[in-house]
Amino acid sequence: MNHFRALNRIFVGFILISIGLSGTAARVNAKGIENAANLAPFFRKLDALKRKMVVEPVRIAHFGDSHVAADILTADIRHRFQADFGDGGNGYMIARNPFSTPRRGVTSGTSSGWTINGIGKGAGNDGAYGMAGISMSTDSANEKMWLESNTNHFEVYVLKGPGGGKINITLDGASYLDGPMSLQAATPTVEMVPIDSPMMANHRIEIVTLSKGQTRILGIASEQITNGSGICYDVLGINGARVSRISGWNQKVLVDTMKYRLPDLIIVAYGTNEVTDKDWTIESYAKMMAGIIKMFKAAAPGASVIVFGPPDRADNDDATTRMPAMLEAQRRAAKEAGAAFWCSFDAMGGPGSMDTWITQGLGQGDHVHLTSAGYQRIGDMFYDDISAAFKEWKSHNTNTRTRRAE
């Protein structure tokens, strides 16, 4: 089997050269977190959280495609983090999200007059989506949106702009605002409305449109604000997405939303869909992704970033031959932009691993997606590796502090 894999890597490299991909596509068969030193800001927050020296949750924002949107992989990672560091809440969500598996303990919905912006034809695809890559809007009065969860803190992200209407926000049926909130503004402007309750309980917030005019809700976050409150994990996946999609979002709206949200770790997980596209090279893809990572870091200066390389894909020859080049491009982007890198393709076993995972019940028959057990396996491997990197960082920094004290 090892000889076969070695021959396969040579064959893949030859194919990449023959189809004209520029750059070196040799895989670095590394294990664990690469460039782990770039996670130091996040590790400092984890350490402070463990010692109960922070009040707000430590926030993780996980961007990606269908592997992320299903919230199976991310649920496993979230549960592992929260088991070790505490539950900081359910995170940033879209009510009636058409992609994500409903969060456990969360119910949400809307009345019939809302449109999902960002997907489908004629759906207000103007790029003003905030962090989720989609948003919800209506021009009508008497429309409602609600979300219920066990929490003591909500954040409602709204977009003000020309032609904005008026809304009210209620908490457990009682108006939370002093009066109607106007969404009228000269230019598109993001505003975050914090909603707090003195007690942790199952609470329901409801947004009600009071007049005709544009109402756009970018997202609702549910968090637990306590001493050492824990990890809050935002799942920001879109089926079929490519990392280039982010470039088409309204950058000001995205950046302003992130400045309110202030994630401590940003995970960027793309590659499965674009690997078969013909319009990229290692250099062009690395440059594009590095630019997006730098934009994220500028929006959240205290955040660490990790690029999460895609799993094996074996549904066609293009995916098989081009995946090593995709991973090389992502590695280069991570290194250039000061991000860490983790490779699920390597974790699975490299070339041909999808077929093996299917025989083990870990991969789906489409040779692209994993089963629930497969996503949980990948999630566990990722978490084990990031935990090992955190322990190594903590050991080094503890020893450094001890030497300085002496």
Side-chain angles (χ1 to χ4, degrees):
M1 185 65 177
N2 290 335
H3 292 298
F4 172 77
R5 285 184 178 172
L7 290 171
N8 187 52
R9 291 189 188 110
I10 294 171
F11 174 73
V12 167
F14 172 78
I15 291 295
L16 289 169
I17 294 171
S18 70
I19 64 176
L21 284 176
S22 57
T24 301
R27 280 179 65 245
V28 180
N29 193 23
K31 300 295 182 183
I33 305 293
E34 302 173 37
N35 315 324
N38 290 325
L39 297 179
F42 175 61
F43 289 159
R44 283 194 289 269
K45 291 299 290 285
L46 284 184
D47 187 45
L49 180 62
K50 199 72 172 177
R51 292 184 286 126
K52 297 188 180 301
M53 295 180 65
V54 296
V55 175
E56 290 193 0
V58 171
R59 301 182 180 97
I60 300 173
H62 196 143
F63 293 85
D65 50 29
S66 56
H67 299 303
V68 174
D71 195 30
I72 302 172
L73 167 69
T74 48
D76 182 81
I77 300 170
R78 179 171 66 250
H79 295 157
R80 293 289 303 274
F81 266 115
Q82 291 180 344
D84 287 344
F85 295 94
D87 186 346
N90 292 291
Y92 185 101
M93 294 168 280
I94 299 293
R96 209 186 79 196
N97 189 340
F99 301 119
S100 181
T101 302
R103 296 285 183 88
R104 184 176 62 183
V106 177
T107 59
S108 70
T110 68
S111 54
S112 61
W114 294 84
T115 296
I116 303 172
N117 311 114
I119 57 173
K121 295 181 179 180
N125 300 322
D126 57 7
Y129 311 136
M131 289 175 60
I134 59 175
S135 58
M136 303 288 289
S137 68
T138 182
D139 291 318
S140 302
N142 301 315
E143 297 292 346
K144 296 181 179 181
M145 175 184 296
W146 62 87
L147 188 143
E148 293 184 32
S149 71
N150 188 65
T151 187
N152 65 354
H153 177 76
F154 293 99
E155 295 176 352
V156 178
Y157 291 78
V158 301
L159 184 66
K160 294 184 173 182
K166 294 181 179 180
I167 63 171
N168 188 30
I169 301 176
T170 65
L171 174 65
D172 299 330
S175 179
Y176 189 82
L177 305 178
D178 293 333
M181 179 179 181
S182 173
L183 302 183
Q184 174 68 34
T187 59
T189 304
V190 177
E191 184 166 330
M192 186 270 285
V193 182
I195 301 171
D196 293 287
S197 172
M199 60 184 297
M200 188 76 66
N202 190 67
H203 295 292
R204 175 186 175 106
I205 63 164
E206 194 165 276
I207 302 162
V208 183
T209 61
L210 302 177
S211 66
K212 290 184 177 182
Q214 179 68 204
T215 295
R216 183 172 298 200
I217 307 300
L218 303 176
I220 302 172
S222 168
E223 296 188 339
Q224 297 179 13
I225 305 296
T226 59
N227 184 29
S229 57
I231 299 291
C232 194
Y233 206 106
D234 299 346
V235 179
L236 307 166
I238 298 176
N239 291 342
R242 292 159 169 77
V243 71
S244 59
R245 182 186 180 104
I246 297 173
S247 301
W249 299 351
N250 183 306
Q251 298 298 289
K252 183 179 185 303
V253 172
L254 172 58
V255 168
D256 288 351
T257 306
M258 292 187 72
K259 286 180 177 179
Y260 276 118
R261 190 76 187 123
L262 288 177
D264 299 294
L265 175 66
I266 300 169
I267 303 175
V268 185
Y270 297 91
T272 289
N273 296 300
E274 58 263 49
V275 70
T276 56
D277 295 342
K278 307 295 187 182
D279 60 350
W280 61 272
T281 64
I282 291 175
E283 286 79 10
S284 67
Y285 191 92
K287 181 178 180 180
M288 173 187 62
M289 176 169 268
I292 289 171
I293 294 170
K294 291 174 182 178
M295 179 272 293
F296 279 155
K297 294 180 75 172
S304 301
V305 178
I306 183 165
V307 177
F308 190 108
D312 189 27
R313 176 179 166 182
D315 58 322
N316 62 60
D317 290 342
D318 283 347
T320 300
T321 57
R322 295 171 69 87
M323 187 60 80
M326 171 62 65
L327 297 170
E328 173 66 15
Q330 292 189 353
R331 277 189 168 93
R332 290 188 188 184
K335 186 174 182 179
E336 177 187 340
F341 181 78
W342 188 83
C343 186
S344 59
F345 178 85
D346 285 346
M348 288 177 68
S353 55
M354 177 61 80
D355 291 334
T356 302
W357 278 48
I358 289 172
T359 62
Q360 296 174 350
L362 301 173
Q364 295 188 29
D366 64 0
H367 291 74
V368 177
H369 297 93
L370 306 179
T371 62
S372 292
Y375 282 124
Q376 290 166 8
R377 176 78 63 85
I378 286 290
D380 284 344
M381 287 190 281
F382 172 73
Y383 187 78
D384 289 343
D385 284 343
I386 203 168
S387 293
F390 173 58
K391 289 176 183 177
E392 183 175 350
W393 173 88
K394 189 172 181 180
S395 174
H396 173 76
N397 281 271
T398 300
N399 292 337
T400 299
R401 288 196 297 268
T402 301
R403 288 195 297 271
R404 286 175 178 171
E406 294 171 350

